[in-house]
Amino acid sequence: MRILAHIIFEADSALRFGCGDFDMLYDSPIQRDFNGLPLILGTSICGVIRANAKDIFSQSEIENLFGFSKGREDSSSKIIFSNALLLDEKMQVNESLIPFSALKKSKFLSHFLHLPQRQHNAIGAQGISKDGAKFDEEVIFQGTRFKCAMEMKCENERDKEDFFKVLSLFYSPYIRFGAGSTKGFGVIKALEIRYEILQNPHDKSSSLNESLSTIFTPQDFVPKSHFTHYALTLTPENVFLFGSGFGDEDADSIAVSEKVVDYAKGTLSEAKLLIPASSIKGAISQRTKFYINQHLGNVIDSAESTSDSNNTKSAQIHATLFGSANNGTNQPTKGRILVRDMYLDYDEKRDSQIFVHNSIDRFSASVIDGALFQEKATFAPTPNLCIDIFVATTNSQNPRDFATATNAFEKALIDICNGALPLGAMSSKGHGFFSGDLHKNGEKNPHKQKRSKL
């Protein structure tokens, strides 16, 4: 007896599945199928599901379901995932080769031949941008839908129950697919799962377009939460600017925006204002480091910097929360913070304002001739912005350091709510200040203090 399931899920944020190569357009392009459309490999899906299965299975159960390799002893996986293919506007996948001319004529599919590009700067050990280390990544539109198959040979009722438990993981709010999960990418939303129990494995074809009879409804298998949920409800005090790195006919610096897929209309939406999670996380990370240094007494009050031991300790504490490429043992550690991008509907003409500036010579403090430039900042299209941040709380190797980092992190969030930590660019010119409230696991933070009026 075999169980076959078809899973339809939607990108609830931009997705990033790199192909490990580069081309003339992108430093890091995405994985594509034989038609040049976005593709998610079954191995990527299986790896994420296996990593999250520890919340509902023991280690021996995971090895029994997903296989293992221990020296000369190994066991194959009982569960098989197919590649996830892009769904078109008719909610069908394209499993055969499409002539390129026909692909370009399809208005919907042609949108996926050229995908959004995200700009990044590599950050050094001191938390500042490395000179000449700018790079870009190709990402998949938010709202893109994929379909994959999951199959398992079941020998008894226990196997069937385990199969359904694995399916339930697709409904977990903490699951992230692909790269960049700690900088806002990879959030998915399961839309529909159908399954069928096959006595004869040849009763159904392997096509993902084949319909299965039974709709899966998750039961009591949803994994327990191992995350602390912080929710910031913010009101902008003025304009803000999360720069795209580009300009337009009106200004030299404009806000970053991105279109999303609208399956109801079978096309892309109008450009939405994008608040990148990486920008929010970067500001919080820097302020958290400040409070960690304050806790350690790591303050520069003379021409000589603080000791190397204190700097190392500060970096180690910071890494327990935000991760590090090198935590002192030459072993990279993954960050524990999950933030997601925010997409806001906005009218560029109504919700933006152009500021004109002159570049100043730092030596003479006079205006540089011919150095006039403009920036287009944004008013919030909605009165309140809601930022959700999840922090993993399990398996900390240094509980004391983790507690110190968490306390500093919460102080940084309070600073944002008090208008003491701006977000985005041009903060030295008054942009990016917010006020609001912080909630922790649904409860208002009692430590938040009102900002004093000057």
Side-chain angles (χ1 to χ4, degrees):
M1 178 178 69
R2 301 187 74 85
I3 302 183
L4 174 66
H6 285 172
I7 303 150
I8 296 176
F9 59 90
E10 180 178 282
D12 214 20
S13 72
L15 298 184
R16 171 88 191 99
F17 290 90
C19 65
D21 203 352
F22 63 90
D23 58 24
M24 295 182 66
L25 296 177
Y26 303 103
D27 295 319
S28 182
I30 66 159
Q31 185 78 43
R32 293 179 180 269
D33 64 12
F34 41 81
N35 284 314
L37 299 173
L39 169 74
I40 302 176
L41 294 175
T43 51
S44 297
I45 299 172
C46 184
V48 171
I49 295 300
R50 176 174 181 145
N52 284 269
K54 64 181 182 296
D55 293 332
I56 51 178
F57 293 110
S58 66
Q59 183 60 35
S60 61
E61 290 172 329
I62 291 174
E63 292 178 353
N64 178 55
L65 288 170
F66 294 95
F68 63 89
S69 178
K70 298 178 180 179
R72 295 183 178 181
E73 183 182 1
D74 60 271
S75 174
S76 61
S77 173
K78 288 184 177 181
I79 297 176
I80 302 172
F81 285 95
S82 74
N83 295 337
L85 300 181
L86 174 74
L87 286 167
D88 62 21
E89 71 275 26
K90 299 177 182 178
M91 297 297 287
Q92 298 288 303
V93 300
N94 292 278
E95 298 173 313
S96 58
L97 187 64
I98 307 172
F100 186 71
S101 58
L103 186 63
K104 292 200 72 174
K105 287 180 181 178
S106 170
K107 185 177 180 181
F108 183 82
L109 294 180
S110 63
H111 291 308
F112 296 91
L113 298 178
H114 302 286
L115 293 171
Q117 182 180 9
R118 294 289 182 91
Q119 306 288 331
H120 299 282
N121 284 307
I123 305 299
Q126 295 179 338
I128 59 177
S129 298
K130 291 181 180 179
D131 187 32
K134 184 176 179 293
F135 65 98
D136 57 62
E137 293 179 316
E138 187 181 23
V139 298
I140 302 170
F141 294 109
Q142 185 209 33
T144 305
R145 294 177 181 177
F146 291 90
K147 189 174 185 178
C148 70
M150 175 176 139
E151 188 176 358
M152 177 178 169
K153 181 179 180 180
C154 297
E155 299 176 351
N156 49 51
E157 287 299 314
R158 174 66 183 274
D159 286 345
K160 187 193 301 184
E161 182 180 339
D162 288 344
F163 182 86
F164 292 145
K165 285 184 178 182
V166 174
L167 280 183
S168 72
L169 289 170
F170 282 91
Y171 289 94
S172 170
Y174 314 111
I175 201 166
R176 298 290 188 272
F177 279 6
S181 60
T182 60
K183 59 182 180 183
F185 299 160
V187 184
I188 65 109
K189 177 173 61 178
L191 298 181
E192 181 184 84
I193 299 179
R194 287 179 174 268
Y195 71 93
E196 204 160 311
I197 299 175
L198 307 175
Q199 299 300 330
N200 184 348
H202 302 292
D203 289 344
K204 289 285 181 180
S205 74
S206 59
S207 173
L208 288 172
N209 289 324
E210 181 104 9
S211 178
L212 300 183
S213 59
T214 309
I215 296 178
F216 172 74
T217 303
Q219 306 285 321
D220 299 325
F221 309 129
V222 178
K224 296 180 180 179
S225 171
H226 299 300
F227 288 82
T228 300
H229 177 208
Y230 296 91
L232 290 85
T233 304
L234 304 175
T235 301
E237 297 190 351
N238 204 327
V239 295
F240 55 86
L241 177 62
F242 292 87
S244 64
F246 302 102
D248 61 11
E249 64 275 8
D250 298 321
D252 300 294
S253 178
I254 62 174
V256 60
S257 63
E258 206 167 273
K259 296 182 178 181
V260 303
V261 180
D262 187 341
Y263 275 86
K265 296 180 179 179
T267 185
L268 296 181
S269 70
E270 295 295 325
K272 293 180 180 289
L273 183 67
L274 174 64
I275 299 181
S278 55
S279 296
I280 298 170
K281 182 184 173 185
I284 296 172
S285 173
Q286 288 294 87
R287 185 56 59 89
T288 300
K289 188 69 173 289
F290 166 81
Y291 281 120
I292 291 172
N293 285 324
Q294 185 184 69
H295 172 77
L296 295 174
N298 222 9
V299 180
I300 299 176
D301 55 2
S302 65
E304 297 181 359
S305 64
T306 52
S307 66
D308 289 340
S309 60
N310 265 4
N311 285 329
T312 301
K313 183 61 177 178
S314 174
Q316 288 176 348
I317 295 174
H318 186 267
T320 62
L321 198 57
F322 289 90
S324 174
N326 185 344
N327 65 355
T329 61
N330 294 319
Q331 292 293 325
T333 56
K334 186 176 181 180
R336 295 171 171 269
I337 294 178
L338 298 179
V339 194
R340 59 183 301 169
D341 295 334
M342 296 176 62
Y343 295 84
L344 305 176
D345 294 316
Y346 84 118
D347 184 320
E348 185 179 359
K349 293 183 179 179
R350 181 196 64 199
D351 299 325
S352 61
Q353 180 177 348
I354 295 176
F355 294 86
V356 181
H357 301 281
N358 286 301
S359 291
I360 304 299
D361 184 273
R362 295 180 183 274
F363 178 73
S364 64
S366 61
V367 175
I368 300 175
D369 187 33
L372 183 73
F373 67 97
Q374 300 84 27
E375 62 182 13
K376 188 184 292 184
T378 309
F379 293 100
T382 56
N384 292 320
L385 304 178
C386 298
I387 301 174
D388 291 306
I389 303 174
F390 296 94
V391 179
T393 57
T394 56
N395 301 325
S396 175
Q397 296 181 348
N398 300 292
R400 181 175 296 179
D401 288 351
F402 179 70
T404 301
T406 302
N407 183 56
F409 169 77
E410 291 181 358
K411 288 181 178 180
L413 298 185
I414 292 170
D415 280 353
I416 296 175
C417 296
N418 287 341
L421 175 59
L423 301 176
M426 306 296 180
S427 59
S428 61
K429 300 176 184 177
H431 297 355
F433 287 88
F434 297 81
S435 60
D437 294 310
L438 170 66
H439 289 76
K440 180 179 179 181
N441 290 330
E443 296 184 2
K444 192 171 182 178
N445 192 321
H447 302 294
K448 178 181 179 298
Q449 301 293 326
K450 296 292 184 181
R451 185 175 54 174
S452 60
K453 300 293 182 181
L454 299 179

mmCIF file with all atom_site columns, all heavy atoms in Angstrom, residues 7 37 96 118 123 132 138 150 193 205 223 272 322 330 350 388 395 417 434 437 454:
data_model
loop_
_atom_site.group_PDB
_atom_site.id
_atom_site.type_symbol
_atom_site.label_atom_id
_atom_site.label_alt_id
_atom_site.label_comp_id
_atom_site.label_asym_id
_atom_site.label_entity_id
_atom_site.label_seq_id
_atom_site.pdbx_PDB_ins_code
_atom_site.Cartn_x
_atom_site.Cartn_y
_atom_site.Cartn_z
_atom_site.occupancy
_atom_site.B_iso_or_equiv
_atom_site.pdbx_formal_charge
_atom_site.auth_seq_id
_atom_site.auth_comp_id
_atom_site.auth_asym_id
_atom_site.auth_atom_id
_atom_site.pdbx_PDB_model_num
ATOM 1   N N   . ILE A 1 7   ? 0.812  18.560 -2.925  1.00 0.00 ? 7   ILE A N   1
ATOM 2   C CA  . ILE A 1 7   ? 0.872  19.711 -2.024  1.00 0.00 ? 7   ILE A CA  1
ATOM 3   C C   . ILE A 1 7   ? 0.992  20.986 -2.852  1.00 0.00 ? 7   ILE A C   1
ATOM 4   O O   . ILE A 1 7   ? 1.916  21.125 -3.663  1.00 0.00 ? 7   ILE A O   1
ATOM 5   C CB  . ILE A 1 7   ? 2.088  19.597 -1.068  1.00 0.00 ? 7   ILE A CB  1
ATOM 6   C CG1 . ILE A 1 7   ? 2.014  18.285 -0.285  1.00 0.00 ? 7   ILE A CG1 1
ATOM 7   C CG2 . ILE A 1 7   ? 2.157  20.798 -0.131  1.00 0.00 ? 7   ILE A CG2 1
ATOM 8   C CD1 . ILE A 1 7   ? 3.354  17.717 0.091   1.00 0.00 ? 7   ILE A CD1 1
ATOM 9   N N   . LEU A 1 37  ? 11.693 28.123 -16.021 1.00 0.00 ? 37  LEU A N   1
ATOM 10  C CA  . LEU A 1 37  ? 10.794 28.613 -14.973 1.00 0.00 ? 37  LEU A CA  1
ATOM 11  C C   . LEU A 1 37  ? 11.350 28.245 -13.601 1.00 0.00 ? 37  LEU A C   1
ATOM 12  O O   . LEU A 1 37  ? 12.100 27.268 -13.464 1.00 0.00 ? 37  LEU A O   1
ATOM 13  C CB  . LEU A 1 37  ? 9.396  28.014 -15.149 1.00 0.00 ? 37  LEU A CB  1
ATOM 14  C CG  . LEU A 1 37  ? 8.697  28.347 -16.475 1.00 0.00 ? 37  LEU A CG  1
ATOM 15  C CD1 . LEU A 1 37  ? 7.398  27.548 -16.610 1.00 0.00 ? 37  LEU A CD1 1
ATOM 16  C CD2 . LEU A 1 37  ? 8.415  29.839 -16.586 1.00 0.00 ? 37  LEU A CD2 1
ATOM 17  N N   . SER A 1 96  ? 6.060  19.224 -19.565 1.00 0.00 ? 96  SER A N   1
ATOM 18  C CA  . SER A 1 96  ? 6.718  18.951 -20.839 1.00 0.00 ? 96  SER A CA  1
ATOM 19  C C   . SER A 1 96  ? 7.388  20.220 -21.343 1.00 0.00 ? 96  SER A C   1
ATOM 20  O O   . SER A 1 96  ? 7.106  21.324 -20.860 1.00 0.00 ? 96  SER A O   1
ATOM 21  C CB  . SER A 1 96  ? 5.709  18.436 -21.874 1.00 0.00 ? 96  SER A CB  1
ATOM 22  O OG  . SER A 1 96  ? 4.664  19.383 -22.060 1.00 0.00 ? 96  SER A OG  1
ATOM 23  N N   . ARG A 1 118 ? 17.426 41.562 -5.655  1.00 0.00 ? 118 ARG A N   1
ATOM 24  C CA  . ARG A 1 118 ? 17.671 42.168 -4.351  1.00 0.00 ? 118 ARG A CA  1
ATOM 25  C C   . ARG A 1 118 ? 19.140 42.564 -4.240  1.00 0.00 ? 118 ARG A C   1
ATOM 26  O O   . ARG A 1 118 ? 20.032 41.772 -4.557  1.00 0.00 ? 118 ARG A O   1
ATOM 27  C CB  . ARG A 1 118 ? 17.308 41.204 -3.219  1.00 0.00 ? 118 ARG A CB  1
ATOM 28  C CG  . ARG A 1 118 ? 15.822 40.884 -3.122  1.00 0.00 ? 118 ARG A CG  1
ATOM 29  C CD  . ARG A 1 118 ? 15.022 42.071 -2.613  1.00 0.00 ? 118 ARG A CD  1
ATOM 30  N NE  . ARG A 1 118 ? 13.605 41.735 -2.485  1.00 0.00 ? 118 ARG A NE  1
ATOM 31  C CZ  . ARG A 1 118 ? 13.053 41.246 -1.379  1.00 0.00 ? 118 ARG A CZ  1
ATOM 32  N NH1 . ARG A 1 118 ? 13.800 41.052 -0.303  1.00 0.00 ? 118 ARG A NH1 1
ATOM 33  N NH2 . ARG A 1 118 ? 11.776 40.967 -1.348  1.00 0.00 ? 118 ARG A NH2 1
ATOM 34  N N   . ILE A 1 123 ? 28.741 42.258 4.975   1.00 0.00 ? 123 ILE A N   1
ATOM 35  C CA  . ILE A 1 123 ? 29.047 42.905 6.252   1.00 0.00 ? 123 ILE A CA  1
ATOM 36  C C   . ILE A 1 123 ? 30.268 42.246 6.870   1.00 0.00 ? 123 ILE A C   1
ATOM 37  O O   . ILE A 1 123 ? 30.365 41.019 6.942   1.00 0.00 ? 123 ILE A O   1
ATOM 38  C CB  . ILE A 1 123 ? 27.849 42.813 7.221   1.00 0.00 ? 123 ILE A CB  1
ATOM 39  C CG1 . ILE A 1 123 ? 26.589 43.398 6.568   1.00 0.00 ? 123 ILE A CG1 1
ATOM 40  C CG2 . ILE A 1 123 ? 28.155 43.523 8.531   1.00 0.00 ? 123 ILE A CG2 1
ATOM 41  C CD1 . ILE A 1 123 ? 26.698 44.855 6.197   1.00 0.00 ? 123 ILE A CD1 1
ATOM 42  N N   . GLY A 1 132 ? 33.616 47.466 -1.642  1.00 0.00 ? 132 GLY A N   1
ATOM 43  C CA  . GLY A 1 132 ? 33.580 46.716 -2.900  1.00 0.00 ? 132 GLY A CA  1
ATOM 44  C C   . GLY A 1 132 ? 32.890 45.375 -2.804  1.00 0.00 ? 132 GLY A C   1
ATOM 45  O O   . GLY A 1 132 ? 33.052 44.533 -3.686  1.00 0.00 ? 132 GLY A O   1
ATOM 46  N N   . GLU A 1 138 ? 18.886 37.001 -7.248  1.00 0.00 ? 138 GLU A N   1
ATOM 47  C CA  . GLU A 1 138 ? 17.609 36.850 -7.922  1.00 0.00 ? 138 GLU A CA  1
ATOM 48  C C   . GLU A 1 138 ? 16.647 36.136 -6.982  1.00 0.00 ? 138 GLU A C   1
ATOM 49  O O   . GLU A 1 138 ? 17.025 35.153 -6.333  1.00 0.00 ? 138 GLU A O   1
ATOM 50  C CB  . GLU A 1 138 ? 17.797 36.040 -9.211  1.00 0.00 ? 138 GLU A CB  1
ATOM 51  C CG  . GLU A 1 138 ? 16.554 35.977 -10.082 1.00 0.00 ? 138 GLU A CG  1
ATOM 52  C CD  . GLU A 1 138 ? 16.784 35.146 -11.338 1.00 0.00 ? 138 GLU A CD  1
ATOM 53  O OE1 . GLU A 1 138 ? 17.699 34.293 -11.336 1.00 0.00 ? 138 GLU A OE1 1
ATOM 54  O OE2 . GLU A 1 138 ? 16.052 35.337 -12.308 1.00 0.00 ? 138 GLU A OE2 1
ATOM 55  N N   . MET A 1 150 ? 4.366  14.043 -2.636  1.00 0.00 ? 150 MET A N   1
ATOM 56  C CA  . MET A 1 150 ? 5.041  13.319 -1.554  1.00 0.00 ? 150 MET A CA  1
ATOM 57  C C   . MET A 1 150 ? 4.434  11.927 -1.505  1.00 0.00 ? 150 MET A C   1
ATOM 58  O O   . MET A 1 150 ? 3.208  11.765 -1.509  1.00 0.00 ? 150 MET A O   1
ATOM 59  C CB  . MET A 1 150 ? 4.836  14.049 -0.228  1.00 0.00 ? 150 MET A CB  1
ATOM 60  C CG  . MET A 1 150 ? 5.382  13.327 0.985   1.00 0.00 ? 150 MET A CG  1
ATOM 61  S SD  . MET A 1 150 ? 5.169  14.343 2.477   1.00 0.00 ? 150 MET A SD  1
ATOM 62  C CE  . MET A 1 150 ? 4.673  13.083 3.649   1.00 0.00 ? 150 MET A CE  1
ATOM 63  N N   . ILE A 1 193 ? -3.736 20.459 0.306   1.00 0.00 ? 193 ILE A N   1
ATOM 64  C CA  . ILE A 1 193 ? -3.071 19.158 0.233   1.00 0.00 ? 193 ILE A CA  1
ATOM 65  C C   . ILE A 1 193 ? -4.144 18.097 -0.007  1.00 0.00 ? 193 ILE A C   1
ATOM 66  O O   . ILE A 1 193 ? -5.115 18.007 0.744   1.00 0.00 ? 193 ILE A O   1
ATOM 67  C CB  . ILE A 1 193 ? -2.279 18.845 1.516   1.00 0.00 ? 193 ILE A CB  1
ATOM 68  C CG1 . ILE A 1 193 ? -1.172 19.885 1.740   1.00 0.00 ? 193 ILE A CG1 1
ATOM 69  C CG2 . ILE A 1 193 ? -1.674 17.447 1.434   1.00 0.00 ? 193 ILE A CG2 1
ATOM 70  C CD1 . ILE A 1 193 ? -0.366 19.664 3.007   1.00 0.00 ? 193 ILE A CD1 1
ATOM 71  N N   . SER A 1 205 ? -1.143 8.024  -12.337 1.00 0.00 ? 205 SER A N   1
ATOM 72  C CA  . SER A 1 205 ? 0.061  8.407  -13.068 1.00 0.00 ? 205 SER A CA  1
ATOM 73  C C   . SER A 1 205 ? 0.929  9.289  -12.173 1.00 0.00 ? 205 SER A C   1
ATOM 74  O O   . SER A 1 205 ? 0.496  9.755  -11.121 1.00 0.00 ? 205 SER A O   1
ATOM 75  C CB  . SER A 1 205 ? -0.311 9.157  -14.353 1.00 0.00 ? 205 SER A CB  1
ATOM 76  O OG  . SER A 1 205 ? -0.748 10.468 -14.049 1.00 0.00 ? 205 SER A OG  1
ATOM 77  N N   . PRO A 1 223 ? 3.409  20.966 15.228  1.00 0.00 ? 223 PRO A N   1
ATOM 78  C CA  . PRO A 1 223 ? 4.500  20.966 16.220  1.00 0.00 ? 223 PRO A CA  1
ATOM 79  C C   . PRO A 1 223 ? 4.346  22.082 17.239  1.00 0.00 ? 223 PRO A C   1
ATOM 80  O O   . PRO A 1 223 ? 3.785  23.134 16.961  1.00 0.00 ? 223 PRO A O   1
ATOM 81  C CB  . PRO A 1 223 ? 5.750  21.179 15.364  1.00 0.00 ? 223 PRO A CB  1
ATOM 82  C CG  . PRO A 1 223 ? 5.258  21.812 14.111  1.00 0.00 ? 223 PRO A CG  1
ATOM 83  C CD  . PRO A 1 223 ? 3.894  21.255 13.879  1.00 0.00 ? 223 PRO A CD  1
ATOM 84  N N   . LYS A 1 272 ? 4.444  47.164 -5.205  1.00 0.00 ? 272 LYS A N   1
ATOM 85  C CA  . LYS A 1 272 ? 4.145  47.399 -3.795  1.00 0.00 ? 272 LYS A CA  1
ATOM 86  C C   . LYS A 1 272 ? 5.401  47.932 -3.096  1.00 0.00 ? 272 LYS A C   1
ATOM 87  O O   . LYS A 1 272 ? 6.526  47.561 -3.458  1.00 0.00 ? 272 LYS A O   1
ATOM 88  C CB  . LYS A 1 272 ? 3.682  46.111 -3.119  1.00 0.00 ? 272 LYS A CB  1
ATOM 89  C CG  . LYS A 1 272 ? 2.328  45.608 -3.625  1.00 0.00 ? 272 LYS A CG  1
ATOM 90  C CD  . LYS A 1 272 ? 1.931  44.325 -2.925  1.00 0.00 ? 272 LYS A CD  1
ATOM 91  C CE  . LYS A 1 272 ? 0.587  43.811 -3.399  1.00 0.00 ? 272 LYS A CE  1
ATOM 92  N NZ  . LYS A 1 272 ? -0.517 44.634 -2.930  1.00 0.00 ? 272 LYS A NZ  1
ATOM 93  N N   . PHE A 1 322 ? 22.202 36.203 16.683  1.00 0.00 ? 322 PHE A N   1
ATOM 94  C CA  . PHE A 1 322 ? 22.216 36.605 15.280  1.00 0.00 ? 322 PHE A CA  1
ATOM 95  C C   . PHE A 1 322 ? 23.093 35.722 14.402  1.00 0.00 ? 322 PHE A C   1
ATOM 96  O O   . PHE A 1 322 ? 23.115 35.899 13.189  1.00 0.00 ? 322 PHE A O   1
ATOM 97  C CB  . PHE A 1 322 ? 22.683 38.057 15.162  1.00 0.00 ? 322 PHE A CB  1
ATOM 98  C CG  . PHE A 1 322 ? 21.667 39.050 15.658  1.00 0.00 ? 322 PHE A CG  1
ATOM 99  C CD1 . PHE A 1 322 ? 21.659 39.460 16.977  1.00 0.00 ? 322 PHE A CD1 1
ATOM 100 C CD2 . PHE A 1 322 ? 20.703 39.561 14.802  1.00 0.00 ? 322 PHE A CD2 1
ATOM 101 C CE1 . PHE A 1 322 ? 20.723 40.362 17.438  1.00 0.00 ? 322 PHE A CE1 1
ATOM 102 C CE2 . PHE A 1 322 ? 19.767 40.466 15.254  1.00 0.00 ? 322 PHE A CE2 1
ATOM 103 C CZ  . PHE A 1 322 ? 19.770 40.874 16.574  1.00 0.00 ? 322 PHE A CZ  1
ATOM 104 N N   . ASN A 1 330 ? 35.973 28.883 14.326  1.00 0.00 ? 330 ASN A N   1
ATOM 105 C CA  . ASN A 1 330 ? 35.971 28.632 12.885  1.00 0.00 ? 330 ASN A CA  1
ATOM 106 C C   . ASN A 1 330 ? 34.767 27.820 12.429  1.00 0.00 ? 330 ASN A C   1
ATOM 107 O O   . ASN A 1 330 ? 34.788 27.196 11.367  1.00 0.00 ? 330 ASN A O   1
ATOM 108 C CB  . ASN A 1 330 ? 37.261 27.913 12.445  1.00 0.00 ? 330 ASN A CB  1
ATOM 109 C CG  . ASN A 1 330 ? 38.490 28.785 12.636  1.00 0.00 ? 330 ASN A CG  1
ATOM 110 O OD1 . ASN A 1 330 ? 38.454 29.980 12.364  1.00 0.00 ? 330 ASN A OD1 1
ATOM 111 N ND2 . ASN A 1 330 ? 39.575 28.185 13.104  1.00 0.00 ? 330 ASN A ND2 1
ATOM 112 N N   . ARG A 1 350 ? 0.947  59.948 -4.346  1.00 0.00 ? 350 ARG A N   1
ATOM 113 C CA  . ARG A 1 350 ? 0.278  60.425 -3.136  1.00 0.00 ? 350 ARG A CA  1
ATOM 114 C C   . ARG A 1 350 ? 1.119  60.193 -1.889  1.00 0.00 ? 350 ARG A C   1
ATOM 115 O O   . ARG A 1 350 ? 1.112  61.017 -0.962  1.00 0.00 ? 350 ARG A O   1
ATOM 116 C CB  . ARG A 1 350 ? -1.071 59.702 -2.985  1.00 0.00 ? 350 ARG A CB  1
ATOM 117 C CG  . ARG A 1 350 ? -1.902 60.114 -1.777  1.00 0.00 ? 350 ARG A CG  1
ATOM 118 C CD  . ARG A 1 350 ? -2.988 59.088 -1.524  1.00 0.00 ? 350 ARG A CD  1
ATOM 119 N NE  . ARG A 1 350 ? -2.419 57.793 -1.164  1.00 0.00 ? 350 ARG A NE  1
ATOM 120 C CZ  . ARG A 1 350 ? -3.085 56.646 -1.240  1.00 0.00 ? 350 ARG A CZ  1
ATOM 121 N NH1 . ARG A 1 350 ? -4.318 56.612 -1.703  1.00 0.00 ? 350 ARG A NH1 1
ATOM 122 N NH2 . ARG A 1 350 ? -2.501 55.507 -0.880  1.00 0.00 ? 350 ARG A NH2 1
ATOM 123 N N   . ASP A 1 388 ? 6.432  41.366 12.647  1.00 0.00 ? 388 ASP A N   1
ATOM 124 C CA  . ASP A 1 388 ? 6.483  40.151 13.454  1.00 0.00 ? 388 ASP A CA  1
ATOM 125 C C   . ASP A 1 388 ? 7.896  39.576 13.422  1.00 0.00 ? 388 ASP A C   1
ATOM 126 O O   . ASP A 1 388 ? 8.488  39.421 12.348  1.00 0.00 ? 388 ASP A O   1
ATOM 127 C CB  . ASP A 1 388 ? 5.498  39.106 12.931  1.00 0.00 ? 388 ASP A CB  1
ATOM 128 C CG  . ASP A 1 388 ? 4.053  39.506 13.158  1.00 0.00 ? 388 ASP A CG  1
ATOM 129 O OD1 . ASP A 1 388 ? 3.708  39.806 14.309  1.00 0.00 ? 388 ASP A OD1 1
ATOM 130 O OD2 . ASP A 1 388 ? 3.289  39.537 12.168  1.00 0.00 ? 388 ASP A OD2 1
ATOM 131 N N   . ASN A 1 395 ? 17.873 24.728 22.442  1.00 0.00 ? 395 ASN A N   1
ATOM 132 C CA  . ASN A 1 395 ? 19.233 24.212 22.232  1.00 0.00 ? 395 ASN A CA  1
ATOM 133 C C   . ASN A 1 395 ? 20.318 25.287 22.244  1.00 0.00 ? 395 ASN A C   1
ATOM 134 O O   . ASN A 1 395 ? 21.216 25.300 21.407  1.00 0.00 ? 395 ASN A O   1
ATOM 135 C CB  . ASN A 1 395 ? 19.308 23.436 20.904  1.00 0.00 ? 395 ASN A CB  1
ATOM 136 C CG  . ASN A 1 395 ? 18.350 22.281 20.848  1.00 0.00 ? 395 ASN A CG  1
ATOM 137 O OD1 . ASN A 1 395 ? 18.098 21.640 21.865  1.00 0.00 ? 395 ASN A OD1 1
ATOM 138 N ND2 . ASN A 1 395 ? 17.798 22.015 19.683  1.00 0.00 ? 395 ASN A ND2 1
ATOM 139 N N   . CYS A 1 417 ? 10.278 51.369 19.291  1.00 0.00 ? 417 CYS A N   1
ATOM 140 C CA  . CYS A 1 417 ? 8.948  51.836 19.702  1.00 0.00 ? 417 CYS A CA  1
ATOM 141 C C   . CYS A 1 417 ? 9.001  53.217 20.343  1.00 0.00 ? 417 CYS A C   1
ATOM 142 O O   . CYS A 1 417 ? 8.016  53.967 20.301  1.00 0.00 ? 417 CYS A O   1
ATOM 143 C CB  . CYS A 1 417 ? 8.331  50.839 20.679  1.00 0.00 ? 417 CYS A CB  1
ATOM 144 S SG  . CYS A 1 417 ? 8.018  49.211 19.970  1.00 0.00 ? 417 CYS A SG  1
ATOM 145 N N   . PHE A 1 434 ? 9.924  56.012 14.296  1.00 0.00 ? 434 PHE A N   1
ATOM 146 C CA  . PHE A 1 434 ? 8.608  55.433 14.544  1.00 0.00 ? 434 PHE A CA  1
ATOM 147 C C   . PHE A 1 434 ? 8.298  55.514 16.038  1.00 0.00 ? 434 PHE A C   1
ATOM 148 O O   . PHE A 1 434 ? 9.183  55.676 16.878  1.00 0.00 ? 434 PHE A O   1
ATOM 149 C CB  . PHE A 1 434 ? 8.578  53.962 14.113  1.00 0.00 ? 434 PHE A CB  1
ATOM 150 C CG  . PHE A 1 434 ? 8.794  53.743 12.647  1.00 0.00 ? 434 PHE A CG  1
ATOM 151 C CD1 . PHE A 1 434 ? 10.081 53.739 12.105  1.00 0.00 ? 434 PHE A CD1 1
ATOM 152 C CD2 . PHE A 1 434 ? 7.726  53.538 11.797  1.00 0.00 ? 434 PHE A CD2 1
ATOM 153 C CE1 . PHE A 1 434 ? 10.293 53.537 10.749  1.00 0.00 ? 434 PHE A CE1 1
ATOM 154 C CE2 . PHE A 1 434 ? 7.923  53.328 10.436  1.00 0.00 ? 434 PHE A CE2 1
ATOM 155 C CZ  . PHE A 1 434 ? 9.201  53.330 9.920   1.00 0.00 ? 434 PHE A CZ  1
ATOM 156 N N   . ASP A 1 437 ? 4.070  50.226 19.963  1.00 0.00 ? 437 ASP A N   1
ATOM 157 C CA  . ASP A 1 437 ? 4.019  49.279 21.081  1.00 0.00 ? 437 ASP A CA  1
ATOM 158 C C   . ASP A 1 437 ? 4.711  47.980 20.716  1.00 0.00 ? 437 ASP A C   1
ATOM 159 O O   . ASP A 1 437 ? 4.750  47.576 19.551  1.00 0.00 ? 437 ASP A O   1
ATOM 160 C CB  . ASP A 1 437 ? 2.567  48.981 21.468  1.00 0.00 ? 437 ASP A CB  1
ATOM 161 C CG  . ASP A 1 437 ? 1.844  50.201 22.026  1.00 0.00 ? 437 ASP A CG  1
ATOM 162 O OD1 . ASP A 1 437 ? 2.405  50.844 22.927  1.00 0.00 ? 437 ASP A OD1 1
ATOM 163 O OD2 . ASP A 1 437 ? 0.739  50.513 21.540  1.00 0.00 ? 437 ASP A OD2 1
ATOM 164 N N   . LEU A 1 454 ? 11.171 66.678 24.448  1.00 0.00 ? 454 LEU A N   1
ATOM 165 C CA  . LEU A 1 454 ? 12.230 67.664 24.595  1.00 0.00 ? 454 LEU A CA  1
ATOM 166 C C   . LEU A 1 454 ? 11.663 69.052 24.478  1.00 0.00 ? 454 LEU A C   1
ATOM 167 O O   . LEU A 1 454 ? 10.731 69.287 23.727  1.00 0.00 ? 454 LEU A O   1
ATOM 168 C CB  . LEU A 1 454 ? 13.306 67.434 23.512  1.00 0.00 ? 454 LEU A CB  1
ATOM 169 C CG  . LEU A 1 454 ? 14.012 66.059 23.561  1.00 0.00 ? 454 LEU A CG  1
ATOM 170 C CD1 . LEU A 1 454 ? 15.023 65.974 22.429  1.00 0.00 ? 454 LEU A CD1 1
ATOM 171 C CD2 . LEU A 1 454 ? 14.708 65.862 24.895  1.00 0.00 ? 454 LEU A CD2 1
#
